[in-house]
Amino acid sequence: DYLFYSTQINITILIVPRLTRLFVPDCMRMAQVQVDAVGLKRSGEDLFPGCDYRSEALSIVVVGASGDLARKKTYPSLFDLYLTSFLPAHAKIVGYARSKMSDEEFRGKIRPTLEKKKCSPEVLEGFLETLSYRSGKYDSEEDVAALHQYLEELETAAGKSHTNRLFYFAIPPSVFSGVGGAIKNQALVSGQRGWNRLVIEKPFGRDLESFEKLNSVMKGLFHEDQIYRIDHYLGKEMVQNILTLRFANSIYEPVWNRNYINSVTFTFKEDFGTAGRGGYFDEFGIIRDVMQNHLLQVLCIIAMEPPYSLKGKEGASSIRGAKVNVLKSIEPLRLDETVLGQYVADDVGKNPGYTEDETVPNGSLAPTFATTVFHINNTRWDGVPFIMKAGKALNEKKSEVRIQFGSPPGCSAMFDQSETVVRNELVLRMQPNEAIYLVMNMKSPGLDER
């Protein structure tokens, strides 16, 4: 059900660049495909088997379209699908949010982010033409009914016998149930005409209690097979590549354990503060915003046992089960291994501190920096610290996993004590400039032993 699709990645520091392989599902299988300025040229048989939605009417509603998440993540991702023809040309993308603006104003807001993509102006304009915008209250059935009427007009114009709708929630969890109820009552297509799906971004609640309450409400409105809870961090190329790196290369899995690995460090650094988004951020803080979702997902993939399959629904279930087993093996965090903090203004007063942001509540104690240590109590990882660090307004923008191996046996006696023998490290850098590199010890050129 899967093929291996080769792509080139940069591997630096004494490693010859090689071809790596990525797992690609059936509906992404391509034969004799060439990319040009307009998109994909098709030659041969159906290049998208399993992607039946491409021949059917498709309406994508981005709920919360005026926000940062939609502008920075959702619409660029949809544009990528458009560029590779996985988004059918007749698909329509409708933004829905409370802010009032025209279609042209909305396209002008989205355009700068999309212009960073490498494509011709004609392709960009073609995608922008698929975008439109409607304003309304999230919990107003009257406003959502008007949205439904607009969607029907678009779908009728498409002239397709089947109609599918996808609702992407780029909104805070506090409004999930309100807009979910309005969509359920006013904006779904009938089962005979096509499918309805909801894609829900993290955070899905603030804690266990709010999650259970929210989950109960959403499951009361929609069937489980209609709800897709996602963490967009799992879509990063480097994160997806961890499975291939671990299980498609014979050199890593034998040493992927406590006998050879000394520590694993996850680092997430942003070089900017809340920048006017303090009201949203303060409700969650850096732990809920980044660590317990993005970084914990990566930790699970690094630490999990090999899944029995990576293919289709069977693979999804296998990977999920392996990740759950990791979570069950993690002992409660220790306060003496945890540090929290808030960023303050810089010395020259150019960048204000967190509590000086006008959108941050007075006296806020929400952490903008946190570091802690995870201990996984199983036979593979017992005694290996998994160190997680995340923060805003730091010295650089960086996201990486650093896997440090133990010192070679007898190393201290073998080499000159004045020379430092650095431990080997495998580094997976998610951003900026995705890369995989290995830190190794080599002798410097010359007659001495350095």
Side-chain angles (χ1 to χ4, degrees):
D1 290 334
Y2 279 60
L3 66 81
F4 292 103
Y5 185 66
S6 297
T7 184
Q8 184 80 34
I9 63 171
N10 293 320
I11 303 179
T12 59
I13 305 186
L14 306 175
I15 298 180
V16 179
R18 299 289 184 186
L19 288 178
T20 188
R21 290 174 171 180
L22 304 177
F23 295 103
V24 182
D26 273 353
C27 71
M28 296 179 68
R29 186 169 292 166
M30 301 182 190
Q32 303 175 25
V33 177
Q34 294 179 333
V35 179
D36 63 7
V38 179
L40 293 181
K41 286 182 178 177
R42 298 176 180 81
S43 57
E45 299 297 323
D46 183 9
L47 300 175
F48 304 89
C51 292
D52 296 337
Y53 71 90
R54 298 186 67 260
S55 62
E56 301 167 348
L58 175 64
S59 297
I60 300 174
V61 180
V62 180
V63 182
S66 61
D68 276 358
L69 176 62
R71 178 172 58 85
K72 294 179 179 179
K73 302 292 185 183
T74 311
Y75 280 94
S77 297
L78 291 170
F79 190 33
D80 283 337
L81 293 177
Y82 179 85
L83 290 174
T84 53
S85 295
F86 287 108
L87 192 66
H90 57 263
K92 298 298 180 183
I93 305 171
V94 182
Y96 183 80
R98 290 174 295 202
S99 304
K100 294 185 180 297
M101 66 182 90
S102 66
D103 290 349
E104 286 305 314
E105 289 172 330
F106 179 72
R107 290 168 184 157
K109 182 177 180 179
I110 298 296
R111 180 189 293 272
T113 306
L114 304 182
E115 287 177 336
K116 299 175 183 178
K117 303 283 185 180
K118 294 181 178 180
C119 68
S120 68
E122 294 78 13
V123 172
L124 175 58
E125 292 302 322
F127 177 73
L128 289 173
E129 283 300 313
T130 70
L131 308 185
S132 58
Y133 180 85
R134 291 295 179 270
S135 64
K137 296 178 181 178
Y138 291 135
D139 58 352
S140 169
E141 292 200 7
E142 180 181 353
D143 291 345
V144 173
L147 171 66
H148 169 69
Q149 181 63 39
Y150 176 65
L151 293 174
E152 287 202 322
E153 294 173 4
L154 296 177
E155 291 156 358
T156 300
K160 304 289 183 179
S161 58
H162 284 78
T163 296
N164 302 314
R165 289 184 185 176
L166 186 150
F167 298 87
Y168 187 101
F169 283 18
I171 49 178
S174 57
V175 295
F176 280 4
S177 57
V179 70
I183 289 173
K184 166 71 173 180
N185 296 330
Q186 300 293 338
L188 299 184
V189 295
S190 65
Q192 291 75 26
R193 291 179 56 201
W195 49 251
N196 300 279
R197 293 175 181 170
L198 281 77
V199 178
I200 302 176
E201 263 282 9
K202 71 89 187 171
F204 198 73
R206 188 178 185 277
D207 50 26
L208 178 60
E209 181 181 357
S210 60
F211 162 78
E212 290 177 336
K213 181 179 179 180
L214 183 58
N215 198 46
S216 177
V217 170
M218 297 305 290
K219 291 181 72 172
L221 295 172
F222 303 96
H223 298 295
E224 182 61 33
D225 61 1
Q226 294 178 310
I227 304 174
Y228 292 74
R229 305 169 187 84
I230 71 165
D231 183 336
H232 65 256
Y233 215 72
L234 292 175
K236 286 186 173 293
E237 191 64 56
M238 188 57 65
V239 176
Q240 294 183 54
N241 226 327
I242 295 174
L243 292 173
T244 307
L245 177 73
R246 281 193 60 184
F247 305 123
N249 294 291
S250 61
I251 62 173
Y252 289 120
E253 193 58 22
V255 299
W256 209 265
N257 55 62
R258 62 188 299 273
N259 298 323
Y260 296 93
I261 291 179
N262 184 67
S263 66
V264 182
T265 302
F266 304 84
T267 301
F268 181 96
K269 301 169 74 175
E270 291 183 335
D271 57 359
F272 55 88
T274 51
R277 296 181 62 246
Y280 168 80
F281 181 85
D282 198 77
E283 185 179 351
F284 298 97
I286 195 69
I287 296 174
R288 290 184 173 94
D289 190 44
V290 172
M291 298 175 74
Q292 64 90 31
N293 36 64
H294 295 340
L295 299 186
L296 193 57
Q297 290 277 7
V298 178
L299 182 151
C300 288
I301 298 174
I302 291 288
M304 71 183 188
E305 295 299 313
Y308 64 83
S309 174
L310 294 172
K311 299 183 290 186
K313 291 184 178 180
E314 194 177 67
S317 177
S318 176
I319 293 171
R320 181 169 58 248
K323 289 161 69 176
V324 168
N325 286 337
V326 173
L327 295 174
K328 289 180 177 179
S329 300
I330 296 175
E331 67 177 40
L333 301 182
R334 306 169 187 172
L335 287 178
D336 61 351
E337 294 180 335
T338 302
V339 176
L340 305 179
Q342 280 185 351
Y343 66 85
V344 297
D346 58 25
D347 294 336
V348 297
K350 181 179 179 181
N351 299 300
Y354 176 69
T355 55
E356 296 167 359
D357 186 331
E358 294 180 354
T359 61
V360 173
N362 294 330
S364 170
L365 297 177
T368 65
F369 173 86
T371 182
T372 192
V373 181
F374 290 79
H375 298 276
I376 303 175
N377 293 328
N378 60 23
T379 55
R380 182 184 288 264
W381 298 114
D382 185 37
V384 178
F386 283 71
I387 305 162
M388 190 177 292
K389 303 182 289 184
K392 301 181 75 67
L394 298 175
N395 61 324
E396 61 181 338
K397 181 178 181 179
K398 181 172 71 174
S399 179
E400 70 174 22
V401 182
R402 190 170 290 264
I403 301 165
Q404 185 182 87
F405 294 86
S407 299
C411 179
S412 58
M414 187 180 303
F415 293 95
D416 190 329
Q417 294 293 318
S418 64
E419 300 297 333
T420 300
V421 178
V422 179
R423 289 175 172 172
N424 298 148
E425 290 183 332
L426 176 65
V427 183
L428 315 177
R429 188 171 64 216
M430 275 80 79
Q431 64 182 28
N433 305 321
E434 293 177 331
I436 300 174
Y437 62 91
L438 185 64
V439 178
M440 302 177 67
N441 291 293
M442 298 293 289
K443 176 187 171 297
S444 298
L447 298 178
D448 58 29
E449 294 298 321
R450 290 183 299 172

